[in-house]
Amino acid sequence: MIAAAAIPRAARTPRVPRPHRDDVLVAAAGAAGGLLLWAFELNSRPLWQTGPRWLVLLPLAAMCLATLSRRFGQPYPLLLGTVAEVADLTVGSLLATMVLFTDVLYAAVLYGSARLSRLVLRTSVVVSVLVSAGLLIVFRDAEMLLVGAACVGILVVPTTSGEMIRNHRDKAAAERLRAEQTALLAELDRKQAVGAERARMARELHDVVANHLSAIAIHSTAALSFPEAGAGGATRDALGVIRENSVQGLAEMRRLIGLLRNADGPEEPTATPSLEGLEALLRRARAMAGDGRTFALADHRPRGERLPAPVELAAYRVVQEAVTNALKHAAPGAVTVALDRDAARPDTLGIRVRSPLGDTPVDDGAPRAPGAGAGLVGMRERVELLAGELTAGPEDGAGGERIWQVHAVLPAPHEAEPATDGSGVDGSGAARRPGKHRTSEKHEQREAERDR
C-alpha cells in the first residue's frame, strides 16, 4: 500500500493513445462527406425498406470511430469497421462509409500484426472470389462481373496496397538496422586499431626512451656516490641536475605510457603536473643555465586558488616549453614567468614568459640543445583545445632591449577548495598530500630502477 501510494498517479495510470492528426482529418472529411450525401439523399436503396432515414448515419459514425483508432488497437478497429459496413449495406449504403471502410482495411494490413495482415489479405481475396462466383451462379448475368470488380476494388486493392507498403517499410527498417550494425562493427574495428596502435606506442616508449632515461638516472646516481664527485662543486651540481631531470622525465614517461595503455580509463591515470610544480621547474632551469641567466616566478593569483586540472596541466606545459626555449635560445639576462588574472576577465588565467632576445644568443647561432621544432605548435594546440589564446614573438622591453614574450590566456573558472578538519584530511576522508611532485631521493632511485 505504501509503495503504491508513493508512485505518482501519472505513472500508475496507463497512457491513453491519442488519434493521429491525419486520422482525425480523414475521419472528419468522411463524416462531412457522408452528411452531405445524406442531405442530398445520395445513398443506395436499402435492403431494409422500413425505418427512418437517419439510421444510415449510425454506420457512418461507427466507421469514423474505427478510422480514428486505425493506427492502434488492431484488430478491434477492423472488427468495428466490418460491422459498420455490413450495417451500412443493410440500411442504405453511403459512399463515404464505404470509402472509410477501405481505409480501415488498408490500415489493418499496414499497422496490424504480421499475422493479422496476412489474414486480412487472404480473406479479402477469398471473399471477392466467392462473391463474384456466387453472383454469376445465382443471376447468370455478365453484368455481375461489374459487381465482382467493385468488390475487388473495395477489398483487394486496399489490402494489397497496404501489404506492399508494409513490405517496403520492413525492408527499409532492415536496411537501417544493417547499416547501424555495419557502422557499429566499423567503430569497433577503429577502436581496436587505435588501441593496438596506442599499445605499440606505449611499448616503444617503454622499451626505448624509458630505458635510456633509467640508465641516465642510475649512472648519475652512481657517479654521485663516488668520493671524487664531491671534489668539484660544479661537477656534482651538474650530476644532480642530470639525475633530477632524468627522474622527472621518467615520471612523465610513466604518465604518458599509462595514458596510452589505459585508453578507456580515466583521462589522467596518475598525478599530473600542476602550477604548484613551477618553482621546482624554475629551480632546475637555474641549475641548468649557469651562464648569467636567472629565472624568477611572479604568481599574482590569490593564495590557495585551485584551478581545473586540464587548465593547470596546460598552463604548466606552456611554461615548461617556454622555459625550455629560453634555455636553448635566450641571451644572458632575467627570464620571468608571471601568472595573474585579468581584471577585465576574472575567469581567465594570464601566463607571460619573458626572456632576453640578444642579437646573437649563442656564439655559433645555433640553439644550445637540439629540438624538434614543434614547441610553439604544441603550445598553441594545448591552448586552443581549451578555447584560449596564445601569442609568441619578439617585443621591445622597458629599457629598449629586445625580448621574446610568450603570452597565453586560458579560461580558468575558480574551483572550490575541499573542506578539511585541520588534520590534512578533506571531506572525502582522503589525506591531502602537499608537494606531490616532490619525492625523496631514495624513492626516485627505486622508481628509476623499477622502470629499468
Side-chain angles (χ1 to χ4, degrees):
M1 292 292 292
I2 297 177
I7 301 176
R9 182 177 298 275
R12 288 186 278 117
T13 303
R15 182 181 178 184
V16 179
R18 299 177 59 182
H20 195 271
R21 182 185 61 180
D22 295 341
D23 297 341
V24 174
L25 294 177
V26 171
L35 289 174
L36 185 63
L37 293 173
W38 176 78
F40 288 98
E41 298 183 2
L42 298 176
N43 58 305
S44 64
R45 187 177 62 180
L47 300 177
W48 179 45
Q49 295 290 341
T50 61
R53 288 185 58 248
W54 55 265
L55 285 178
V56 75
L57 298 178
L58 295 180
L60 177 63
M63 195 67 71
C64 290
L65 290 177
T67 303
L68 289 174
S69 58
R70 70 190 187 110
R71 294 176 187 263
F72 55 88
Q74 294 287 353
Y76 300 107
L78 175 63
L79 297 177
L80 178 60
T82 303
V83 173
E85 181 60 24
V86 173
D88 180 71
L89 293 173
T90 303
V91 299
S93 179
L94 283 172
L95 181 60
T97 305
M98 189 175 298
V99 171
L100 289 178
F101 178 64
T102 60
D103 184 70
V104 171
L105 286 175
Y106 168 82
V109 176
L110 182 59
Y111 301 112
S113 62
R115 181 178 180 183
L116 176 64
S117 175
R118 293 192 297 268
L119 179 61
V120 172
L121 180 60
R122 295 171 183 173
T123 303
S124 64
V125 174
V126 171
V127 170
S128 299
V129 172
L130 291 178
V131 169
S132 301
L135 290 176
L136 284 175
I137 294 173
V138 172
F139 294 98
R140 296 181 183 276
D141 189 352
E143 292 183 355
M144 292 297 104
L145 293 176
L146 298 177
V147 180
C151 186
V152 170
I154 295 173
L155 298 177
V156 179
V157 171
T159 53
T160 53
S161 300
E163 181 70 14
M164 288 188 295
I165 296 179
R166 182 188 183 100
N167 291 336
H168 175 73
R169 290 186 176 182
D170 291 343
K171 290 180 180 178
E175 292 297 329
R176 284 195 298 269
L177 179 61
R178 187 177 294 109
E180 292 175 358
Q181 292 175 347
T182 303
L184 179 61
L185 292 176
E187 180 66 17
L188 291 177
D189 292 340
R190 187 192 67 82
K191 288 185 177 180
Q192 290 178 356
V194 171
E197 182 64 17
R198 293 170 70 109
R200 187 189 67 82
M201 293 172 62
R203 287 194 302 269
E204 292 296 327
L205 287 175
H206 180 271
D207 296 341
V208 179
V209 182
N211 283 343
H212 286 303
L213 289 176
S214 299
I216 294 173
I218 293 174
H219 282 81
S220 60
T221 303
L224 285 172
S225 64
F226 293 155
E228 57 270 18
T235 302
R236 186 173 185 84
D237 292 342
L239 289 174
V241 171
I242 293 172
R243 180 183 175 281
E244 184 178 1
N245 281 276
S246 60
V247 172
Q248 183 71 17
L250 277 174
E252 295 292 333
M253 190 63 63
R254 285 195 300 270
R255 187 185 69 85
L256 182 58
I257 292 174
L259 283 174
L260 291 174
R261 292 189 181 277
N262 193 20
D264 298 329
E267 183 179 357
E268 298 292 341
T270 58
T272 58
S274 66
L275 296 179
E276 296 178 359
L278 291 183
E279 286 287 357
L281 175 67
L282 296 183
R283 185 171 61 252
R284 291 193 299 270
R286 295 188 196 101
M288 295 173 63
D291 59 353
R293 283 173 296 170
T294 61
F295 294 82
L297 173 64
D299 192 349
H300 302 293
R301 298 177 300 144
R303 182 178 298 275
E305 180 185 55
R306 293 173 57 88
L307 298 177
V311 176
E312 293 221 359
L313 176 60
Y316 181 89
R317 293 304 187 196
V318 168
V319 175
Q320 183 183 38
E321 183 62 31
V323 169
T324 302
N325 290 338
L327 285 171
K328 294 179 181 179
H329 308 285
V335 179
T336 59
V337 179
L339 304 177
D340 57 8
R341 285 189 175 272
D342 191 350
R345 293 185 294 177
D347 288 336
T348 61
L349 174 66
I351 305 168
R352 294 180 186 272
V353 181
R354 301 161 65 92
S355 57
L357 184 64
D359 296 332
T360 56
V362 290
D363 296 338
D364 55 357
R368 297 178 177 84
L376 289 176
V377 176
M379 284 193 292
R380 193 175 303 279
E381 289 176 350
R382 284 185 179 275
V383 172
E384 289 178 353
L385 282 176
L386 297 177
E389 303 172 2
L390 177 74
T391 57
E395 293 185 0
D396 293 330
E401 61 176 350
R402 298 285 288 172
I403 63 170
W404 181 272
Q405 175 175 273
V406 176
H407 180 210
V409 179
L410 297 175
H414 297 270
E415 208 173 72
E417 182 79 18
T420 61
D421 56 0
S423 60
V425 180
D426 58 17
S428 62
R432 295 192 304 170
R433 293 177 295 176
K436 59 183 177 181
H437 300 290
R438 302 176 183 176
T439 55
S440 63
E441 293 188 358
K442 293 183 179 180
H443 177 69
E444 293 173 351
Q445 184 175 358
R446 276 199 309 271
E447 292 293 327
E449 292 174 352
R450 184 187 67 181
D451 287 338
R452 187 182 181 188

